[in-house]
Coordinates of all heavy atoms in Angstrom, one line a residue:
I1 N -9.1 1.1 -14.3 CA -9.3 1.0 -12.9 C -7.9 1.3 -12.2 O -7.9 2.0 -11.2 CB -9.8 -0.4 -12.4 CG1 -11.2 -0.6 -12.8 CG2 -9.6 -0.6 -11.0 CD1 -11.8 -1.9 -12.5
L2 N -6.8 0.9 -12.8 CA -5.5 1.2 -12.2 C -5.3 2.7 -12.2 O -4.8 3.3 -11.2 CB -4.4 0.6 -13.0 CG -4.1 -0.9 -12.8 CD1 -3.1 -1.4 -13.8 CD2 -3.8 -1.2 -11.4
V3 N -5.7 3.4 -13.2 CA -5.6 4.9 -13.2 C -6.4 5.5 -12.1 O -6.0 6.4 -11.4 CB -6.0 5.5 -14.6 CG1 -6.0 7.0 -14.6 CG2 -5.0 5.1 -15.7
Q4 N -7.6 5.1 -11.9 CA -8.5 5.6 -10.9 C -8.0 5.3 -9.5 O -8.0 6.1 -8.6 CB -9.9 5.0 -11.0 CG -10.7 5.5 -12.2 CD -12.0 4.9 -12.4 OE1 -12.1 3.7 -12.6 NE2 -13.1 5.7 -12.3
V5 N -7.5 4.1 -9.3 CA -6.8 3.7 -8.0 C -5.6 4.6 -7.8 O -5.5 5.1 -6.6 CB -6.4 2.2 -8.0 CG1 -5.5 1.9 -6.8 CG2 -7.7 1.3 -8.0
A6 N -4.8 4.8 -8.8 CA -3.7 5.7 -8.6 C -4.1 7.1 -8.2 O -3.5 7.8 -7.3 CB -2.8 5.8 -9.8
E7 N -5.1 7.6 -8.8 CA -5.7 8.9 -8.5 C -6.2 9.0 -7.0 O -6.0 10.0 -6.3 CB -6.8 9.3 -9.4 CG -6.3 9.7 -10.8 CD -7.4 9.9 -11.8 OE1 -8.5 9.8 -11.5 OE2 -7.0 10.3 -13.0
M8 N -6.9 7.9 -6.6 CA -7.5 7.9 -5.3 C -6.3 7.9 -4.3 O -6.3 8.6 -3.3 CB -8.3 6.6 -5.1 CG -9.6 6.6 -6.0 SD -10.3 5.0 -6.0 CE -11.2 5.1 -4.5
I9 N -5.2 7.1 -4.5 CA -4.1 7.1 -3.6 C -3.4 8.5 -3.6 O -3.1 9.0 -2.5 CB -3.1 6.0 -3.9 CG1 -3.8 4.6 -3.7 CG2 -1.9 6.1 -3.1 CD1 -3.1 3.4 -4.3
G10 N -3.2 9.0 -4.8 CA -2.6 10.3 -4.9 C -3.3 11.4 -4.1 O -2.7 12.3 -3.6
N11 N -4.6 11.3 -4.1 CA -5.4 12.3 -3.4 C -5.5 12.0 -1.9 O -6.0 12.9 -1.2 CB -6.9 12.3 -3.9 CG -7.0 12.8 -5.3 OD1 -6.1 13.6 -5.7 ND2 -7.9 12.4 -6.1
T12 N -5.0 10.9 -1.4 CA -5.0 10.5 0.0 C -3.7 10.8 0.7 O -3.7 11.1 1.9 CB -5.3 9.0 0.1 OG1 -6.6 8.7 -0.6 CG2 -5.4 8.6 1.6
I13 N -2.6 10.8 0.0 CA -1.3 11.0 0.6 C -0.9 12.4 0.7 O -1.4 13.3 0.1 CB -0.3 10.1 -0.1 CG1 -0.1 10.5 -1.6 CG2 -0.6 8.6 0.0 CD1 1.0 9.8 -2.3
R14 N 0.2 12.7 1.5 CA 0.8 14.0 1.6 C 1.6 14.3 0.4 O 2.1 13.5 -0.3 CB 1.7 14.0 2.9 CG 1.1 13.5 4.1 CD 2.2 13.4 5.2 NE 3.1 12.3 4.8 CZ 4.2 12.0 5.5 NH1 4.5 12.7 6.7 NH2 5.1 11.1 5.1
K15 N 1.9 15.6 0.2 CA 2.7 16.1 -0.9 C 4.2 15.6 -0.8 O 4.9 15.4 -1.8 CB 2.7 17.6 -1.0 CG 1.4 18.1 -1.4 CD 1.5 19.6 -1.8 CE 0.1 20.2 -2.1 NZ -0.7 19.5 -3.1
T16 N 4.6 15.3 0.4 CA 6.0 14.8 0.7 C 6.1 13.3 0.4 O 7.3 12.8 0.4 CB 6.5 15.1 2.1 OG1 5.5 14.6 3.0 CG2 6.5 16.6 2.3
D17 N 5.0 12.6 0.3 CA 5.1 11.1 0.0 C 5.4 10.9 -1.4 O 5.2 11.7 -2.3 CB 3.8 10.5 0.4 CG 3.4 10.6 1.9 OD1 4.4 10.7 2.7 OD2 2.2 10.6 2.2
I18 N 6.1 9.7 -1.7 CA 6.5 9.4 -3.0 C 5.7 8.1 -3.4 O 5.7 7.1 -2.7 CB 8.0 9.1 -3.0 CG1 8.8 10.3 -2.6 CG2 8.4 8.6 -4.4 CD1 10.2 10.0 -2.1
F19 N 5.0 8.3 -4.6 CA 4.1 7.2 -5.0 C 4.3 6.9 -6.5 O 4.4 7.9 -7.3 CB 2.6 7.7 -4.7 CG 1.6 6.8 -5.3 CD1 1.4 5.5 -4.8 CD2 0.8 7.3 -6.3 CE1 0.4 4.7 -5.3 CE2 -0.3 6.5 -6.8 CZ -0.4 5.2 -6.3
G20 N 4.2 5.6 -6.8 CA 4.4 5.3 -8.2 C 4.1 3.8 -8.5 O 3.9 3.0 -7.6
R21 N 3.9 3.5 -9.7 CA 3.6 2.1 -10.1 C 4.9 1.3 -10.0 O 6.0 1.8 -10.4 CB 3.1 2.1 -11.6 CG 2.4 0.8 -11.9 CD 1.6 1.0 -13.1 NE 1.0 -0.2 -13.6 CZ 0.4 -0.3 -14.7 NH1 0.2 0.8 -15.5 NH2 -0.1 -1.5 -15.1
Y22 N 4.8 0.1 -9.5 CA 6.0 -0.7 -9.3 C 5.9 -2.1 -10.0 O 6.4 -3.0 -9.5 CB 6.3 -0.8 -7.8 CG 7.6 -1.5 -7.5 CD1 8.8 -0.8 -7.7 CD2 7.7 -2.8 -7.1 CE1 10.0 -1.3 -7.4 CE2 8.9 -3.4 -6.9 CZ 10.1 -2.7 -7.0 OH 11.3 -3.3 -6.8
G23 N 5.2 -2.1 -11.0 CA 5.0 -3.5 -11.7 C 3.6 -3.5 -12.3 O 2.9 -2.4 -12.3
G24 N 3.2 -4.6 -12.7 CA 1.9 -4.7 -13.4 C 0.8 -4.1 -12.7 O 0.2 -3.1 -13.1
E25 N 0.4 -4.6 -11.5 CA -0.7 -4.1 -10.7 C -0.2 -3.7 -9.3 O -1.0 -3.7 -8.4 CB -1.8 -5.2 -10.6 CG -2.4 -5.5 -12.0 CD -3.5 -6.6 -11.9 OE1 -3.6 -7.2 -10.9 OE2 -4.2 -6.7 -13.0
E26 N 1.0 -3.4 -9.2 CA 1.6 -3.1 -7.9 C 2.0 -1.6 -7.9 O 2.5 -1.1 -8.9 CB 2.8 -4.0 -7.5 CG 2.4 -5.4 -7.3 CD 3.6 -6.3 -6.9 OE1 4.7 -5.8 -6.9 OE2 3.4 -7.5 -6.7
F27 N 1.9 -1.0 -6.7 CA 2.3 0.4 -6.5 C 3.3 0.4 -5.3 O 3.2 -0.5 -4.5 CB 1.1 1.3 -6.2 CG 0.1 1.4 -7.3 CD1 -1.0 0.7 -7.4 CD2 0.3 2.4 -8.3 CE1 -1.9 0.8 -8.4 CE2 -0.5 2.5 -9.4 CZ -1.7 1.7 -9.4
L28 N 4.1 1.4 -5.3 CA 5.0 1.6 -4.1 C 4.8 2.9 -3.6 O 4.7 3.9 -4.3 CB 6.5 1.5 -4.7 CG 7.6 1.6 -3.7 CD1 7.5 0.4 -2.7 CD2 8.9 1.7 -4.3
L29 N 4.7 3.0 -2.3 CA 4.4 4.3 -1.6 C 5.5 4.5 -0.5 O 5.6 3.6 0.4 CB 3.0 4.3 -1.0 CG 2.6 5.5 -0.2 CD1 2.7 6.8 -1.0 CD2 1.2 5.3 0.4
I30 N 6.2 5.5 -0.6 CA 7.2 5.9 0.4 C 6.7 7.0 1.3 O 6.3 8.1 0.7 CB 8.6 6.2 -0.3 CG1 9.1 5.0 -1.1 CG2 9.6 6.6 0.8 CD1 10.2 5.3 -2.0
L31 N 6.6 6.8 2.5 CA 6.1 7.8 3.5 C 7.3 8.3 4.4 O 7.5 7.8 5.4 CB 5.0 7.2 4.3 CG 3.9 6.5 3.6 CD1 3.0 5.7 4.5 CD2 3.1 7.6 2.8
P32 N 7.9 9.3 3.9 CA 9.1 9.9 4.7 C 8.7 10.3 6.1 O 7.6 10.9 6.3 CB 9.6 11.1 3.9 CG 9.0 10.9 2.5 CD 7.7 10.1 2.7
E33 N 9.6 10.0 7.0 CA 9.5 10.5 8.4 C 8.3 10.1 9.2 O 7.7 10.9 10.0 CB 9.7 12.0 8.4 CG 11.1 12.5 7.8 CD 11.3 13.9 7.9 OE1 10.7 14.6 8.7 OE2 12.2 14.4 7.2
I34 N 7.7 8.9 8.9 CA 6.7 8.4 9.7 C 7.1 7.0 10.2 O 7.8 6.3 9.5 CB 5.3 8.4 9.1 CG1 5.2 7.5 8.0 CG2 4.9 9.8 8.7 CD1 3.7 7.3 7.5
D35 N 6.6 6.6 11.3 CA 6.9 5.2 11.8 C 6.0 4.2 11.3 O 5.1 4.5 10.5 CB 6.8 5.3 13.4 CG 5.5 5.6 14.0 OD1 4.5 5.6 13.2 OD2 5.4 5.9 15.2
R36 N 6.3 2.9 11.6 CA 5.6 1.8 11.1 C 4.0 1.9 11.4 O 3.2 1.7 10.5 CB 6.1 0.5 11.6 CG 5.4 -0.7 11.1 CD 6.0 -2.0 11.6 NE 5.8 -2.2 13.0 CZ 4.6 -2.8 13.5 NH1 3.7 -3.1 12.7 NH2 4.4 -2.9 14.8
Q37 N 3.7 2.3 12.6 CA 2.3 2.3 13.0 C 1.5 3.4 12.2 O 0.4 3.2 11.8 CB 2.1 2.6 14.5 CG 0.7 2.4 15.0 CD 0.2 1.0 14.7 OE1 0.8 0.0 14.9 NE2 -1.1 0.9 14.3
S38 N 2.2 4.5 12.0 CA 1.5 5.6 11.2 C 1.4 5.1 9.7 O 0.4 5.4 9.1 CB 2.3 6.9 11.2 OG 2.3 7.4 12.6
G39 N 2.4 4.4 9.2 CA 2.3 3.8 7.9 C 1.2 2.8 7.8 O 0.5 2.9 6.7
I40 N 0.9 2.1 8.8 CA -0.2 1.1 8.8 C -1.5 1.9 8.7 O -2.4 1.5 8.0 CB -0.1 0.2 10.0 CG1 1.1 -0.8 9.8 CG2 -1.4 -0.6 10.1 CD1 1.4 -1.5 11.1
V41 N -1.6 3.0 9.5 CA -2.8 3.8 9.5 C -3.1 4.4 8.0 O -4.2 4.3 7.6 CB -2.7 5.0 10.5 CG1 -3.8 6.0 10.3 CG2 -2.7 4.4 11.9
V42 N -2.0 4.8 7.4 CA -2.2 5.3 6.0 C -2.6 4.2 5.1 O -3.5 4.3 4.3 CB -0.9 6.0 5.5 CG1 -1.0 6.3 4.0 CG2 -0.6 7.2 6.3
A43 N -2.0 3.0 5.2 CA -2.3 1.9 4.4 C -3.8 1.4 4.6 O -4.5 1.1 3.6 CB -1.3 0.7 4.6
E44 N -4.2 1.4 5.8 CA -5.6 1.1 6.1 C -6.6 2.1 5.5 O -7.6 1.7 5.0 CB -5.8 0.9 7.6 CG -5.4 -0.4 8.2 CD -6.2 -1.6 7.7 OE1 -7.3 -1.5 7.2 OE2 -5.7 -2.7 8.0
K45 N -6.2 3.3 5.6 CA -7.1 4.4 5.0 C -7.2 4.2 3.5 O -8.3 4.2 2.9 CB -6.5 5.8 5.3 CG -7.3 6.9 4.8 CD -6.7 8.2 5.2 CE -7.6 9.4 4.7 NZ -6.9 10.7 5.1
I46 N -6.1 3.9 2.8 CA -6.1 3.6 1.4 C -6.9 2.3 1.1 O -7.8 2.3 0.2 CB -4.7 3.5 0.9 CG1 -4.0 4.8 0.9 CG2 -4.6 2.8 -0.5 CD1 -2.5 4.8 0.7
R47 N -6.7 1.3 1.9 CA -7.4 0.0 1.7 C -9.0 0.3 1.7 O -9.7 -0.2 0.9 CB -7.0 -1.0 2.7 CG -7.6 -2.4 2.5 CD -7.5 -3.3 3.7 NE -8.2 -2.7 4.8 CZ -9.5 -2.8 5.0 NH1 -10.3 -3.3 4.0 NH2 -10.1 -2.3 6.1
K48 N -9.4 1.0 2.7 CA -10.8 1.3 3.0 C -11.4 2.2 1.8 O -12.5 1.9 1.3 CB -11.0 2.0 4.3 CG -12.4 2.3 4.6 CD -13.0 1.4 5.7 CE -14.4 1.8 6.2 NZ -15.5 1.5 5.3
I49 N -10.7 3.2 1.4 CA -11.2 4.0 0.3 C -11.4 3.2 -0.9 O -12.4 3.4 -1.6 CB -10.2 5.2 0.1 CG1 -10.2 6.2 1.2 CG2 -10.4 5.8 -1.2 CD1 -9.2 7.3 1.2
I50 N -10.4 2.4 -1.3 CA -10.6 1.6 -2.5 C -11.7 0.5 -2.3 O -12.5 0.3 -3.2 CB -9.2 0.9 -2.8 CG1 -8.3 2.1 -3.2 CG2 -9.4 -0.1 -4.0 CD1 -6.8 1.6 -3.4
Q51 N -11.8 -0.1 -1.1 CA -12.8 -1.1 -0.9 C -14.2 -0.5 -1.1 O -15.1 -1.1 -1.6 CB -12.6 -1.7 0.5 CG -13.8 -2.5 1.0 CD -13.7 -2.8 2.5 OE1 -12.9 -3.7 2.8 NE2 -14.4 -2.1 3.3
D52 N -14.4 0.7 -0.6 CA -15.6 1.4 -0.6 C -16.0 2.0 -2.0 O -17.2 2.4 -2.2 CB -15.7 2.5 0.4 CG -15.7 1.9 1.9 OD1 -15.9 0.6 2.0 OD2 -15.4 2.6 2.8
A53 N -15.1 2.1 -2.9 CA -15.3 2.7 -4.2 C -16.0 1.8 -5.1 O -15.9 0.6 -5.0 CB -14.0 3.2 -4.8
T54 N -16.8 2.4 -6.0 CA -17.4 1.7 -7.1 C -16.8 2.2 -8.4 O -16.8 3.4 -8.7 CB -18.9 1.8 -7.1 OG1 -19.4 1.3 -5.9 CG2 -19.5 1.0 -8.2
F55 N -16.3 1.3 -9.2 CA -15.7 1.7 -10.5 C -16.7 1.5 -11.7 O -17.8 1.1 -11.4 CB -14.4 0.9 -10.7 CG -13.4 1.2 -9.6 CD1 -13.4 0.5 -8.5 CD2 -12.5 2.2 -9.7 CE1 -12.4 0.7 -7.4 CE2 -11.6 2.5 -8.8 CZ -11.5 1.8 -7.6
A56 N -16.2 1.8 -12.9 CA -17.1 1.7 -14.0 C -17.8 0.3 -14.1 O -17.2 -0.7 -13.7 CB -16.2 1.8 -15.3
E57 N -19.0 0.3 -14.5 CA -19.8 -0.9 -14.7 C -20.0 -1.6 -13.3 O -20.1 -2.8 -13.3 CB -19.2 -1.8 -15.7 CG -19.1 -1.2 -17.1 CD -18.5 -2.1 -18.1 OE1 -18.6 -3.4 -18.0 OE2 -18.0 -1.6 -19.1
N58 N -20.1 -0.8 -12.2 CA -20.3 -1.4 -10.9 C -19.3 -2.3 -10.4 O -19.5 -3.2 -9.6 CB -21.7 -2.0 -10.8 CG -22.8 -1.0 -10.4 OD1 -22.5 0.1 -9.9 ND2 -24.0 -1.4 -10.6
I59 N -18.0 -2.2 -10.9 CA -17.0 -3.0 -10.4 C -16.5 -2.6 -9.1 O -16.3 -1.4 -8.8 CB -15.8 -3.0 -11.5 CG1 -16.3 -3.6 -12.8 CG2 -14.6 -3.7 -10.9 CD1 -15.3 -3.5 -13.9
K60 N -16.4 -3.6 -8.2 CA -15.8 -3.4 -6.8 C -14.5 -4.1 -6.8 O -14.4 -5.2 -7.3 CB -16.7 -3.9 -5.7 CG -18.1 -3.3 -5.7 CD -18.2 -1.9 -5.3 CE -18.1 -1.9 -3.7 NZ -18.2 -0.5 -3.2
I61 N -13.4 -3.5 -6.1 CA -12.2 -4.2 -6.0 C -11.7 -4.0 -4.6 O -12.2 -3.2 -3.8 CB -11.1 -3.6 -7.0 CG1 -10.8 -2.2 -6.7 CG2 -11.6 -3.8 -8.4 CD1 -9.5 -1.7 -7.3
T62 N -10.7 -4.8 -4.2 CA -10.0 -4.7 -3.0 C -8.5 -4.7 -3.2 O -8.1 -5.0 -4.3 CB -10.4 -5.9 -2.0 OG1 -9.9 -7.1 -2.6 CG2 -11.8 -6.0 -1.7
V63 N -7.8 -4.3 -2.2 CA -6.3 -4.2 -2.3 C -5.7 -4.9 -1.1 O -6.2 -4.9 0.0 CB -5.7 -2.8 -2.5 CG1 -6.2 -2.2 -3.8 CG2 -6.1 -1.9 -1.3
S64 N -4.6 -5.5 -1.4 CA -3.8 -6.1 -0.3 C -2.5 -5.3 -0.2 O -1.9 -4.9 -1.3 CB -3.4 -7.5 -0.6 OG -4.6 -8.3 -0.8
L65 N -2.1 -4.9 1.0 CA -0.9 -4.0 1.2 C 0.1 -4.6 2.1 O -0.3 -5.3 3.1 CB -1.4 -2.7 1.7 CG -2.4 -1.9 0.8 CD1 -3.8 -2.1 1.3 CD2 -2.0 -0.5 0.7
G66 N 1.4 -4.3 1.9 CA 2.4 -4.7 2.8 C 3.1 -3.4 3.3 O 3.4 -2.5 2.5
A67 N 3.4 -3.3 4.5 CA 4.0 -2.1 5.2 C 5.2 -2.5 5.9 O 5.2 -3.4 6.7 CB 3.0 -1.4 6.0
V68 N 6.3 -1.8 5.7 CA 7.5 -2.0 6.5 C 8.1 -0.6 6.8 O 7.8 0.4 6.2 CB 8.6 -2.8 5.7 CG1 8.1 -4.2 5.4 CG2 9.0 -2.2 4.4
E69 N 8.9 -0.6 7.9 CA 9.6 0.6 8.3 C 11.0 0.5 8.0 O 11.7 -0.5 8.3 CB 9.4 0.8 9.8 CG 10.0 2.0 10.3 CD 9.7 2.2 11.9 OE1 9.2 1.3 12.5 OE2 10.0 3.4 12.3
Y70 N 11.6 1.6 7.5 CA 13.0 1.7 7.3 C 13.8 1.7 8.5 O 13.4 2.4 9.5 CB 13.3 3.0 6.4 CG 14.9 3.2 6.3 CD1 15.6 2.5 5.4 CD2 15.5 4.1 7.2 CE1 17.0 2.6 5.4 CE2 16.9 4.3 7.1 CZ 17.6 3.5 6.2 OH 19.0 3.7 6.1
K71 N 14.8 0.9 8.6 CA 15.7 0.9 9.8 C 17.1 1.3 9.2 O 17.5 0.8 8.2 CB 15.8 -0.5 10.4 CG 14.5 -1.0 10.9 CD 14.0 -0.3 12.2 CE 12.8 -0.9 12.7 NZ 12.2 -0.1 13.7
P72 N 17.8 2.1 9.9 CA 19.2 2.5 9.4 C 20.0 1.3 9.1 O 20.1 0.3 9.8 CB 19.8 3.2 10.6 CG 18.6 3.8 11.4 CD 17.5 2.7 11.2
G73 N 20.7 1.4 7.9 CA 21.5 0.3 7.4 C 20.8 -0.6 6.5 O 21.4 -1.5 5.9
T74 N 19.5 -0.5 6.4 CA 18.7 -1.4 5.5 C 18.9 -0.9 4.1 O 18.7 0.2 3.8 CB 17.2 -1.4 5.9 OG1 17.1 -1.8 7.2 CG2 16.5 -2.4 5.0
S75 N 19.2 -1.8 3.1 CA 19.4 -1.4 1.8 C 18.0 -1.2 1.1 O 17.0 -1.8 1.6 CB 20.1 -2.5 1.0 OG 19.3 -3.6 0.8
I76 N 17.9 -0.5 0.1 CA 16.7 -0.3 -0.6 C 16.1 -1.6 -1.1 O 14.9 -1.9 -1.0 CB 16.9 0.7 -1.8 CG1 17.2 2.1 -1.2 CG2 15.6 0.7 -2.7 CD1 17.6 3.1 -2.3
D77 N 17.0 -2.5 -1.6 CA 16.5 -3.8 -2.2 C 15.9 -4.6 -1.0 O 14.8 -5.2 -1.2 CB 17.7 -4.5 -2.8 CG 18.1 -4.1 -4.1 OD1 17.2 -3.3 -4.8 OD2 19.2 -4.4 -4.6
D78 N 16.5 -4.6 0.2 CA 16.0 -5.4 1.3 C 14.7 -4.8 1.8 O 13.7 -5.5 2.1 CB 17.0 -5.4 2.5 CG 18.2 -6.3 2.2 OD1 18.1 -7.2 1.3 OD2 19.2 -6.2 2.9
L79 N 14.6 -3.5 1.8 CA 13.3 -2.8 2.2 C 12.2 -3.2 1.2 O 11.1 -3.5 1.7 CB 13.5 -1.3 2.2 CG 12.5 -0.5 3.0 CD1 12.4 -0.9 4.4 CD2 12.8 1.0 2.9
V80 N 12.4 -3.1 -0.1 CA 11.4 -3.4 -1.1 C 11.1 -4.9 -1.0 O 9.9 -5.2 -1.1 CB 11.9 -3.0 -2.5 CG1 10.9 -3.5 -3.6 CG2 12.0 -1.5 -2.6
N81 N 12.0 -5.7 -0.8 CA 11.7 -7.1 -0.7 C 10.9 -7.5 0.5 O 10.0 -8.3 0.5 CB 13.0 -8.0 -0.7 CG 13.8 -8.0 -2.0 OD1 13.1 -7.9 -3.0 ND2 15.0 -8.3 -2.0
A82 N 11.2 -6.8 1.6 CA 10.4 -7.0 2.8 C 8.9 -6.5 2.6 O 8.0 -7.2 3.1 CB 11.0 -6.2 4.0
A83 N 8.8 -5.4 2.0 CA 7.4 -4.9 1.7 C 6.7 -5.8 0.7 O 5.5 -6.1 0.9 CB 7.5 -3.5 1.0
D84 N 7.4 -6.4 -0.3 CA 6.8 -7.3 -1.1 C 6.4 -8.6 -0.4 O 5.3 -9.2 -0.7 CB 7.8 -7.7 -2.3 CG 7.2 -8.3 -3.5 OD1 6.1 -7.8 -3.9 OD2 7.7 -9.3 -4.0
S85 N 7.2 -9.1 0.5 CA 6.9 -10.2 1.4 C 5.6 -10.0 2.1 O 4.7 -10.9 2.3 CB 8.0 -10.6 2.3 OG 9.1 -11.0 1.6
M86 N 5.5 -8.8 2.7 CA 4.3 -8.4 3.5 C 3.0 -8.4 2.6 O 2.0 -8.8 2.9 CB 4.5 -7.1 4.2 CG 5.5 -7.2 5.3 SD 5.0 -8.3 6.7 CE 5.9 -9.8 6.2
L87 N 3.2 -7.9 1.3 CA 2.1 -7.8 0.3 C 1.6 -9.3 0.1 O 0.4 -9.5 0.1 CB 2.6 -7.2 -1.0 CG 1.7 -7.4 -2.2 CD1 0.4 -6.7 -2.0 CD2 2.4 -6.9 -3.4
Y88 N 2.6 -10.2 -0.2 CA 2.2 -11.6 -0.5 C 1.6 -12.2 0.8 O 0.7 -13.1 0.7 CB 3.3 -12.4 -1.1 CG 3.5 -12.0 -2.5 CD1 4.4 -11.1 -2.9 CD2 2.6 -12.5 -3.5 CE1 4.5 -10.7 -4.3 CE2 2.6 -12.1 -4.8 CZ 3.6 -11.2 -5.2 OH 3.7 -10.8 -6.5
A89 N 2.0 -11.9 1.9 CA 1.4 -12.3 3.2 C 0.0 -11.9 3.3 O -0.9 -12.6 3.8 CB 2.2 -11.9 4.4
A90 N -0.3 -10.6 2.9 CA -1.6 -10.1 3.0 C -2.5 -10.9 2.0 O -3.7 -11.2 2.4 CB -1.7 -8.6 2.6
K91 N -2.0 -11.2 0.8 CA -2.8 -12.0 -0.1 C -3.0 -13.4 0.4 O -4.2 -13.9 0.3 CB -2.1 -12.0 -1.5 CG -2.0 -10.7 -2.2 CD -1.3 -10.9 -3.5 CE -1.3 -9.6 -4.3 NZ -0.6 -9.7 -5.6
K92 N -2.0 -14.0 1.0 CA -2.1 -15.4 1.5 C -3.1 -15.4 2.7 O -3.8 -16.4 2.9 CB -0.8 -15.8 2.0 CG -0.7 -17.2 2.5 CD 0.7 -17.6 3.0 CE 0.6 -19.0 3.7 NZ 1.9 -19.3 4.3
N93 N -3.1 -14.4 3.5 CA -3.9 -14.3 4.7 C -5.4 -13.8 4.5 O -6.1 -13.4 5.5 CB -3.3 -13.6 5.8 CG -2.0 -14.3 6.3 OD1 -1.9 -15.5 6.3 ND2 -1.0 -13.5 6.6
G94 N -5.8 -13.8 3.3 CA -7.2 -13.5 3.0 C -7.5 -12.3 2.1 O -8.6 -12.0 1.9
R95 N -6.5 -11.6 1.7 CA -6.6 -10.4 0.8 C -7.4 -9.3 1.5 O -7.9 -9.5 2.6 CB -7.3 -10.8 -0.5 CG -6.5 -11.8 -1.3 CD -7.2 -12.1 -2.6 NE -6.4 -13.1 -3.4 CZ -5.5 -12.8 -4.3 NH1 -5.3 -11.5 -4.6 NH2 -4.8 -13.7 -4.9
N96 N -7.4 -8.1 0.8 CA -8.1 -7.0 1.3 C -7.7 -6.6 2.8 O -8.5 -6.4 3.7 CB -9.6 -7.1 1.3 CG -10.3 -5.7 1.5 OD1 -9.8 -4.7 1.2 ND2 -11.5 -5.8 2.0
R97 N -6.3 -6.6 3.0 CA -5.8 -6.4 4.3 C -4.4 -5.8 4.2 O -3.8 -5.7 3.2 CB -5.8 -7.7 5.1 CG -5.0 -8.8 4.5 CD -5.0 -10.1 5.2 NE -4.4 -10.0 6.5 CZ -5.0 -10.4 7.6 NH1 -6.2 -11.0 7.5 NH2 -4.4 -10.4 8.7
V98 N -3.9 -5.3 5.3 CA -2.6 -4.7 5.5 C -1.8 -5.7 6.4 O -2.3 -6.1 7.4 CB -2.6 -3.3 6.1 CG1 -1.2 -2.9 6.3 CG2 -3.4 -2.4 5.3
E99 N -0.6 -6.1 5.9 CA 0.3 -6.9 6.7 C 1.6 -6.1 6.9 O 2.0 -5.4 6.0 CB 0.6 -8.2 6.0 CG -0.5 -9.2 5.9 CD -0.8 -9.9 7.2 OE1 0.1 -9.9 8.1 OE2 -1.9 -10.4 7.4
S100 N 2.1 -6.2 8.1 CA 3.3 -5.5 8.4 C 4.3 -6.3 9.2 O 3.9 -7.0 10.1 CB 2.9 -4.2 9.2 OG 4.1 -3.5 9.5
S101 N 5.5 -6.1 8.9 CA 6.6 -6.8 9.7 C 6.9 -6.1 11.0 O 6.8 -4.9 11.1 CB 7.8 -6.9 8.8 OG 8.9 -6.3 9.4
L102 N 7.2 -6.9 12.0 CA 7.5 -6.3 13.3 C 8.9 -6.0 13.5 O 9.3 -5.3 14.4 CB 7.0 -7.2 14.4 CG 5.5 -7.5 14.5 CD1 5.2 -8.5 15.5 CD2 4.8 -6.2 14.8
D103 N 9.8 -6.4 12.6 CA 11.2 -6.1 12.7 C 11.6 -4.9 12.1 O 11.1 -4.2 11.3 CB 12.1 -7.2 12.2 CG 11.5 -8.4 11.6 OD1 10.3 -8.6 11.6 OD2 12.2 -9.3 11.1

C-alpha cells in the first residue's frame, strides 16, 4: 500500500516538487514557490485521492497531513518539526484531514 500511495502522490504533484519517504509510514513533500494556501489545496487533493482509492483486497485508507510555509530565516529542522506537529494535530483532531499552522 505504501508503494501505491507513493505512486499516487508522485502522479499528483509537479515535476519541480520534491517528494520522498520520511520515516516508517510518513512522507515529506516540498512544494517550491507556492504559498501556504496553495500547499493546503495540494494536500487536500492528495488526501481526497487516497481516501477515494481502493487498494488490494478492498482495503480503504485515509491520510493525515500537516502543511507549513517556509518563512525566511526558518531552519530546515524547525520547518520539518512544524510540519510534524501539524501532522500530529491532524491525527489528534480526527484523522483524514489537513492541518496547517497560521504562523
Side-chain angles (χ1 to χ4, degrees):
I1 289 176
L2 283 175
V3 170
Q4 289 175 300
V5 167
E7 288 173 355
M8 294 167 83
I9 294 170
N11 291 332
T12 303
I13 61 175
R14 307 170 299 175
K15 292 194 184 306
T16 56
D17 297 334
I18 301 162
F19 172 65
R21 195 161 173 189
Y22 188 75
E25 296 179 349
E26 294 181 357
F27 295 97
L28 182 67
L29 177 58
I30 300 169
L31 306 168
E33 299 184 19
I34 67 170
D35 62 14
R36 184 179 68 83
Q37 192 57 42
S38 297
I40 292 169
V41 169
V42 172
E44 280 292 347
K45 183 176 180 182
I46 290 168
R47 186 196 62 74
K48 178 108 173 80
I49 287 168
I50 293 169
Q51 168 191 280
D52 293 345
T54 301
F55 298 90
E57 300 181 27
N58 271 345
I59 293 173
K60 301 288 280 181
I61 66 168
T62 61
V63 294
S64 301
L65 300 104
V68 296
E69 181 178 13
Y70 171 76
K71 301 288 185 192
T74 304
S75 72
I76 292 172
D77 285 341
D78 287 344
L79 195 61
V80 170
N81 287 335
D84 200 46
S85 292
M86 291 297 97
L87 165 64
Y88 283 100
K91 290 180 178 184
K92 180 182 173 190
N93 291 328
R95 298 183 179 266
N96 193 30
R97 58 185 295 128
V98 176
E99 290 286 339
S100 178
S101 117
L102 295 174
D103 359 354

